[in-house]
Amino acid sequence: MKKIEAIIRPEKLDVVRQALEESGYPGLTITEIEGHGMQKGAFQQWRGEKYKLDFLPKVKVEIVCIDKDLEKIIQTLIESTYTGNVGDGKIFVYEVEEVVRIRTRERGERALV
Ligand SMILES: Nc1ncnc2c1ncn2[C@@H]1O[C@H](COP(=O)(O)OP(=O)(O)OP(=O)(O)O)[C@@H](O)[C@H]1O
Ligand SMILES: [Mg+2]
Protein backbone atom coordinates (compact mmCIF):
# COMPACT_ATOMS: atom_id res chain seq x y z
CA MET A 1 0.00 0.00 0.00
CA LYS A 2 1.06 3.57 -0.60
CA LYS A 3 0.37 6.87 1.10
CA ILE A 4 -0.06 9.75 -1.30
CA GLU A 5 0.45 13.19 0.15
CA ALA A 6 -0.65 16.01 -2.12
CA ILE A 7 -0.05 19.66 -1.32
CA ILE A 8 -2.68 21.57 -3.27
CA ARG A 9 -4.29 24.98 -3.64
CA PRO A 10 -7.03 25.33 -1.00
CA GLU A 11 -9.61 26.25 -3.65
CA LYS A 12 -9.05 22.89 -5.36
CA LEU A 13 -10.01 20.82 -2.32
CA ASP A 14 -13.65 20.37 -3.23
CA VAL A 15 -13.00 19.13 -6.75
CA VAL A 16 -10.21 16.85 -5.46
CA ARG A 17 -12.47 15.37 -2.80
CA GLN A 18 -15.14 14.66 -5.40
CA ALA A 19 -12.67 13.15 -7.89
CA LEU A 20 -11.19 10.85 -5.24
CA GLU A 21 -14.62 9.65 -4.22
CA GLU A 22 -15.42 8.87 -7.87
CA SER A 23 -12.11 6.92 -8.07
CA GLY A 24 -13.23 4.67 -5.22
CA TYR A 25 -11.42 6.46 -2.41
CA PRO A 26 -13.93 8.17 -0.12
CA GLY A 27 -11.53 8.12 2.86
CA LEU A 28 -8.99 10.92 3.16
CA THR A 29 -7.25 13.20 5.63
CA ILE A 30 -6.80 16.91 5.11
CA THR A 31 -4.70 19.48 6.94
CA GLU A 32 -4.56 23.21 6.41
CA ILE A 33 -0.87 24.05 6.10
CA GLU A 34 1.49 26.79 5.00
CA GLY A 35 4.51 26.33 2.84
CA HIS A 36 6.57 27.44 -0.07
CA GLY A 37 8.36 25.85 -2.98
CA MET A 38 10.95 27.14 -5.43
CA GLN A 39 9.63 30.72 -5.46
CA LYS A 40 9.97 30.95 -1.67
CA GLY A 41 6.62 32.66 -1.20
CA ALA A 42 5.07 35.53 -3.11
CA PHE A 43 4.80 39.31 -3.22
CA GLN A 44 1.43 40.84 -2.48
CA GLN A 45 0.16 44.39 -2.57
CA TRP A 46 -2.05 46.10 0.01
CA ARG A 47 -2.98 49.82 -0.18
CA GLY A 48 -0.17 50.41 -2.62
CA GLU A 49 2.42 48.80 -0.36
CA LYS A 50 4.27 45.76 -1.63
CA TYR A 51 5.10 43.16 0.96
CA LYS A 52 6.49 39.63 0.94
CA LEU A 53 4.59 36.56 2.11
CA ASP A 54 7.16 33.91 3.05
CA PHE A 55 4.58 31.14 3.32
CA LEU A 56 1.36 30.61 1.41
CA PRO A 57 -1.72 28.72 2.60
CA LYS A 58 -2.10 25.28 1.07
CA VAL A 59 -4.04 22.13 1.89
CA LYS A 60 -2.36 18.78 2.46
CA VAL A 61 -4.45 15.81 1.31
CA GLU A 62 -3.44 12.31 2.42
CA ILE A 63 -4.84 9.15 0.84
CA VAL A 64 -3.69 5.58 1.40
CA CYS A 65 -4.34 3.30 -1.59
CA ILE A 66 -3.54 -0.16 -2.85
CA ASP A 67 -0.41 -0.34 -5.02
CA LYS A 68 -2.28 -0.93 -8.27
CA ASP A 69 -4.37 2.25 -7.81
CA LEU A 70 -1.36 4.52 -7.28
CA GLU A 71 -1.02 5.81 -10.85
CA LYS A 72 -4.78 6.27 -11.20
CA ILE A 73 -4.89 8.39 -8.04
CA ILE A 74 -1.86 10.44 -9.08
CA GLN A 75 -3.50 11.15 -12.46
CA THR A 76 -6.78 12.05 -10.73
CA LEU A 77 -4.96 14.49 -8.47
CA ILE A 78 -3.05 16.08 -11.35
CA GLU A 79 -6.17 16.46 -13.47
CA SER A 80 -8.17 18.05 -10.66
CA THR A 81 -5.49 20.50 -9.46
CA TYR A 82 -3.54 21.63 -12.57
CA THR A 83 -3.71 25.30 -13.56
CA GLY A 84 -0.28 25.61 -15.18
CA ASN A 85 0.77 28.43 -12.84
CA VAL A 86 3.48 28.33 -10.19
CA GLY A 87 2.19 27.02 -6.88
CA ASP A 88 0.04 24.22 -8.33
CA GLY A 89 1.49 21.93 -5.67
CA LYS A 90 3.34 18.68 -5.25
CA ILE A 91 2.67 15.01 -4.72
CA PHE A 92 4.77 12.80 -2.43
CA VAL A 93 4.43 9.01 -2.25
CA TYR A 94 5.35 6.79 0.71
CA GLU A 95 5.29 3.07 1.44
CA VAL A 96 2.65 2.02 4.00
CA GLU A 97 3.29 -1.02 6.18
CA GLU A 98 -0.04 -1.72 7.79
CA VAL A 99 -3.62 -0.49 8.08
CA VAL A 100 -6.11 -1.52 10.77
CA ARG A 101 -9.82 -0.73 10.72
CA ILE A 102 -10.44 -0.50 14.43
CA ARG A 103 -14.15 -1.37 14.36
CA THR A 104 -13.73 -4.70 12.53
CA ARG A 105 -10.05 -5.37 13.26
CA GLU A 106 -9.55 -5.93 9.53
CA ARG A 107 -5.96 -5.54 8.41
CA GLY A 108 -4.16 -4.45 5.25
CA GLU A 109 -6.00 -3.87 1.99
CA ARG A 110 -9.29 -5.16 3.47
CA ALA A 111 -9.19 -2.33 5.97
CA LEU A 112 -8.64 0.37 3.36
CA VAL A 113 -11.94 0.97 1.57
N1 LIG B 1 10.73 20.01 -1.49
C1 LIG B 1 9.61 20.18 -0.79
N2 LIG B 1 9.48 19.58 0.40
C2 LIG B 1 8.36 19.72 1.13
N3 LIG B 1 7.32 20.45 0.75
C3 LIG B 1 7.39 21.06 -0.44
C4 LIG B 1 8.53 20.97 -1.27
N4 LIG B 1 8.31 21.68 -2.39
C5 LIG B 1 7.08 22.20 -2.26
N5 LIG B 1 6.53 21.84 -1.08
C6 LIG B 1 5.20 22.16 -0.60
O1 LIG B 1 4.33 22.25 -1.72
C7 LIG B 1 3.68 23.51 -1.76
C8 LIG B 1 3.48 23.92 -3.19
O2 LIG B 1 4.74 23.98 -3.82
P1 LIG B 1 4.87 24.59 -5.29
O3 LIG B 1 3.73 24.10 -6.11
O4 LIG B 1 5.04 26.07 -5.19
O5 LIG B 1 6.22 23.85 -5.73
P2 LIG B 1 7.35 24.39 -6.69
O6 LIG B 1 8.45 23.40 -6.64
O7 LIG B 1 7.69 25.82 -6.32
O8 LIG B 1 6.69 24.31 -8.14
P3 LIG B 1 6.16 25.55 -9.03
O9 LIG B 1 7.37 26.14 -9.70
O10 LIG B 1 5.19 24.93 -9.97
O11 LIG B 1 5.50 26.53 -8.08
C9 LIG B 1 4.58 24.43 -0.94
O12 LIG B 1 3.82 25.49 -0.39
C10 LIG B 1 5.10 23.49 0.13
O13 LIG B 1 4.14 23.37 1.16
MG1 LIG C 1 6.25 27.31 -6.28
Side-chain angles (χ1 to χ4, degrees), residues 42-93:
F43 284 96
Q44 303 248 315
Q45 204 154 333
W46 192 72
R47 294 188 173 176
E49 296 282 325
K50 246 190 159 189
Y51 64 98
K52 175 124 194 290
L53 274 182
D54 287 328
F55 297 101
L56 302 174
K58 299 282 171 183
V59 169
K60 181 169 76 176
V61 181
E62 293 167 78
I63 316 111
V64 177
C65 70
I66 58 176
D67 288 1
K68 81 167 178 49
D69 285 342
L70 177 64
E71 272 312 311
K72 178 177 81 174
I73 302 287
I74 290 175
Q75 287 311 317
T76 298
L77 288 168
I78 293 171
E79 280 158 27
S80 50
T81 56
Y82 175 88
T83 71
N85 299 307
V86 296
D88 266 357
K90 254 176 202 169
I91 298 172
F92 303 95
V93 178

Side-chain angles (χ1 to χ4, degrees), residues 37-39 86-87:
M38 281 203 305
Q39 293 79 17
V86 296

